[in-house]
Amino acid sequence: MEVIEKTDRMQQKAEELRLAGKVLGFVPTMGFFHEGHLELMRVAKRHCDVVIISLFVNPMQFGPKEDLAAYPRDLEGDLAKARQVGVDIAFVPTVDQIYPEGFESRVSVEKVTKHLCGLSRPTHFDGVTTVVAKLFNITKPHLAVFGQKDYQQLTVIRRMVNDLNMDLRILGVPTHREPDGLAMSSRNSYLNSEERKSALCLKKSLDLAREMVGKGERRSAAIKKAVEEFVRSHPYTQVDYVSLCDPVTLDDVDPLRGETLLALAVRVGKTRLIDNCVLGKSEKR
Ligand code: AMP
């Protein structure tokens, strides 16, 4: 596996590979790998000749009061894991490489960024789309792979790629979970053992909602109330949002019709966790 730190070197390498006829797959990450990240890399490997990952904790997507400084990092461990799953190139830029002096451009998606996480993280998605657009230009992929765990992020990226005619395909991969159901996240490392137990309420509340829908409930308010009450019955939790919305526009829906995204964000202690599922379609639990 080649480790590349410089933007121009990465761009040159990607161009060479393209000219040699290789199909390039790309997985952008902020590192501190768990199985969910590795799964995205395996999926990219199955679809492409060359897999490029990026490891970059992007300051632009963190709000002033968020966990940029505390964000967990383990570069050597991450590189070893990536090597094991057969990644070909790890792009590991410094902040200066991505945001050199004088940098002043933004890529902004207007509407789907305003819902869900956009309500409490108003600048977050501009940070995501700006860095992802840059990373696409630097790594020149034919395919980029993202996790459905960050459902809104995936939606925003798809919107950006469509709107700006970016010439690549976006693939979403189902959420990878711990054996007890907790969605894997680098931020799970912040949880103490009591909080870890409470954190299970996210996945369990999705199951509860699915059960209600299975029994015929279609009223958004009733489902939201049940989910919120269930989450609140667990210690250390604070609901940020529970949303039932259209899986493409993320606009609220009421009553439920066809496929509906149930997305939630919950603070467990100081850690903000998210999870989601699409209700109204037959999917594995
Ligand atoms: P992050 O390092 O948190 O920015 O995540 C990098 C990529 O991994 C994003 O596309 C995430 O959606 C994806 N990802 C994170 N957690 C999971 C998970 N539990 N299952 C599947 N993909 C995930």
Side-chain angles (χ1 to χ4, degrees), residues 42 74 88 103 122 204 238 242 253:
R42 289 188 196 105
D74 175 18
D88 300 284
F103 180 88
K204 284 186 180 163
Q238 197 189 329
V242 174
V253 294

Side-chain angles (χ1 to χ4, degrees), residues 75-136:
L75 182 58
E76 286 314 311
D78 286 346
L79 294 177
K81 287 176 186 166
R83 226 173 253 124
Q84 261 184 357
V85 295
V87 167
D88 300 284
I89 299 172
F91 177 50
V92 187
T94 56
V95 173
D96 290 354
Q97 283 292 309
I98 298 295
Y99 303 116
E101 212 180 302
F103 180 88
E104 56 173 307
S105 299
R106 291 281 181 285
V107 178
S108 189
V109 173
E110 211 173 306
K111 277 200 256 169
V112 283
T113 52
K114 298 286 185 287
H115 302 294
L116 312 181
C117 292
L119 294 170
S120 63
R121 306 185 77 191
T123 61
H124 172 67
F125 288 110
D126 281 5
V128 171
T129 43
T130 300
V131 82
V132 170
K134 284 173 65 73
L135 290 168
F136 286 171

